[in-house]
Amino acid sequence: MDETKPSSASASGSPAIPAIVAPQAPTTPPVWRKALGGIVSIAAIAAAVLVIFWVWNAVEQHPRTDDAIAQANVIGIAPRVHGQIVKLNVEDNEDVKEGEVLFEIDPADFQLALSAAKATLAALDQQIEVARGQDAELKYQVKAAEAGVEQSKAQLQQASDTSRRLQPLLPKGFATADDVEKAQTAVQVANAALVAQEQRLNQAKASLSNLATLIAQRDAAVAALNLAALQLSYSKVLAPFPGKIINLNISLGGYANIGVPVFALLDTRKWYVIANFREGELRHLPTGASMDVYLLSDPKRRFSGKVQGIGWAVNSKDEIDISHNVPDVPRQLNWVHIAQRFPVRIEIENPDPGLFRMGESAVATVR
């Protein structure tokens, strides 16, 4: 019978019974697939181990911290003389050059002091010239007075010798009382003459020493003149180095006091980063170690630095209070011990003055 024709049951309208197909046996995967799966698994595990080791090595050998800020040196611009500010040549956040005049203090008082010092020196120089003109005559007077003193000493010596010789002769009748009295009177006269000549010599020396006194006074007058000129120059306050003006909060007409900063100047010649590293990482940060620094204002740009040094002291919050006789140990339970951090000073080798700002956040990594 043809298999394509419907069965009698189908022709009669009764439902057809589907044929039962026997299930096929499962096929066994090839051996190479098992081997490939094992290899992939082992490779994945090895790769994970290598990644973990690489990350550990990077963290251990090349510590990194984002607890860092950019720093630069800042000084207060304080005048060395006091007075009213008559010129203010800068504005806040302005760039200045070394030697630029920042502001000026009223110079009137210092100009008067300088004029007075010049007048004092001129008058003293005139006195010195007069004293030098009299110097030759005064020296002659000193020489004459010295000769007079020597002559008076000789006369006194002679009178004293004569008096001593006549004294023993008086009891023997070889000399009269009048002779002895005359000899004693001669001694007194010679002594008085010596005293007078010595006074004359002292007066001549005093007159001669007036020139030396005036010359000594001139040194003091010159020092006073130089001081007045120096104070006048201090009325103009100059920038000691190139930098940026910060914290300018004073106007023209304000009063400046000696040693009191008027504003601050940021030194842009050298920049550094203070990075706080954990104490366990400090052994990887010897002095001179190369560092990579990134600023959060431009994180794609890398800057090079060198470790200048590590801070030797920080204020620990876990100190035991020993102010009393018995130590005070606070009762607390810490599940995790937080490592102490120490500041590491990193000098930047290639800073960008237009990008670096004091207090800016940074990231530091050991190269």
Side-chain angles (χ1 to χ4, degrees):
M1 185 173 62
D2 189 2
E3 294 180 356
T4 59
K5 293 181 179 181
S7 63
S8 58
S10 296
S12 62
S14 60
I17 299 174
I20 299 174
V21 179
Q24 298 179 355
T27 59
T28 303
V31 177
W32 64 271
R33 288 187 177 181
K34 292 184 178 180
L36 180 60
I39 293 173
V40 171
S41 300
I42 295 174
I45 295 174
V49 172
L50 290 176
V51 170
I52 293 174
F53 177 77
W54 180 83
V55 172
W56 174 85
N57 181 70
V59 173
E60 181 69 18
Q61 301 297 329
H62 304 279
R64 174 185 177 276
T65 180
D66 57 1
D67 185 8
I69 57 173
Q71 292 285 346
N73 296 322
V74 176
I75 66 169
I77 300 299
R80 302 178 70 171
V81 294
H82 59 82
Q84 188 178 25
I85 297 177
V86 295
K87 288 185 180 180
L88 187 60
N89 303 326
V90 295
E91 297 179 352
D92 199 17
N93 302 318
E94 181 181 349
D95 289 324
V96 295
K97 299 178 181 179
E98 182 178 358
E100 183 176 345
V101 179
L102 304 178
F103 62 91
E104 297 182 25
I105 296 174
D106 187 1
D109 294 340
F110 311 111
Q111 289 174 346
L112 290 175
L114 180 60
S115 299
K118 289 180 178 179
T120 300
L121 180 60
L124 190 58
D125 285 339
Q126 187 175 3
Q127 293 178 5
I128 291 174
E129 290 300 323
V130 173
R132 283 177 176 171
Q134 298 174 349
D135 188 60
E137 182 180 355
L138 292 174
K139 287 182 178 179
Y140 173 78
Q141 292 179 2
V142 169
K143 293 294 184 181
E146 289 176 347
V149 169
E150 294 299 326
Q151 182 179 2
S152 296
K153 287 181 179 180
Q155 291 176 353
L156 177 60
Q157 183 66 35
Q158 182 180 6
S160 298
D161 293 342
T162 302
S163 177
R164 283 195 299 271
R165 286 196 303 270
L166 292 177
Q167 289 289 342
L169 298 178
L170 180 61
K172 298 179 181 179
F174 295 105
T176 63
D178 185 56
D179 294 334
V180 174
E181 184 177 353
K182 288 181 180 180
Q184 292 176 349
T185 302
V187 171
Q188 294 175 358
V189 171
N191 192 21
L194 177 59
V195 172
Q197 291 295 334
E198 288 178 344
Q199 289 180 352
R200 179 186 173 191
L201 176 61
N202 291 334
Q203 291 177 354
K205 288 183 177 180
S207 299
L208 184 63
S209 65
N210 186 39
L211 177 60
T213 301
L214 292 175
I215 293 176
Q217 291 177 355
R218 188 182 189 280
D219 294 337
V222 171
L225 176 62
N226 293 335
L227 179 60
L230 189 61
Q231 289 181 335
L232 178 60
S233 68
Y234 287 158
S235 64
K236 293 184 178 181
V237 180
L238 310 179
F241 49 78
K244 294 181 181 294
I245 302 297
I246 58 177
N247 196 29
L248 193 156
N249 295 309
I250 195 170
S251 299
L252 188 67
Y255 195 86
N257 293 294
I258 299 175
V260 178
V262 176
F263 50 82
L265 182 62
L266 178 68
D267 188 355
T268 57
R269 296 174 299 178
K270 179 181 291 186
W271 285 91
Y272 53 92
V273 167
I274 299 297
N276 298 318
F277 281 90
R278 290 187 294 270
E279 51 193 333
E281 299 170 340
L282 298 181
R283 64 180 183 274
H284 301 296
L285 296 163
T287 301
S290 298
M291 304 289 294
D292 289 332
V293 176
Y294 302 87
L295 298 178
L296 265 62
S297 59
D298 190 358
K300 295 181 179 180
R301 188 170 178 182
R302 183 182 68 180
F303 297 93
S304 299
K306 295 286 186 182
V307 174
Q308 186 271 331
I310 302 174
W312 286 100
V314 293
N315 186 17
S316 175
K317 301 299 183 181
D318 299 329
E319 293 181 352
I320 298 176
D321 185 7
I322 57 174
S323 59
H324 306 287
N325 293 331
V326 179
D328 183 12
V329 181
R331 299 179 63 184
Q332 58 186 4
L333 182 62
N334 294 328
W335 295 101
V336 178
H337 181 75
I338 300 176
Q340 185 64 268
R341 290 176 178 262
F342 285 84
V344 178
R345 185 185 179 106
I346 304 169
E347 292 186 358
I348 305 302
E349 298 177 335
N350 57 336
D352 184 352
L355 187 62
F356 272 76
R357 296 178 184 271
M358 186 172 177
E360 189 173 8
S361 299
V363 177
T365 306
V366 178
R367 185 176 301 173

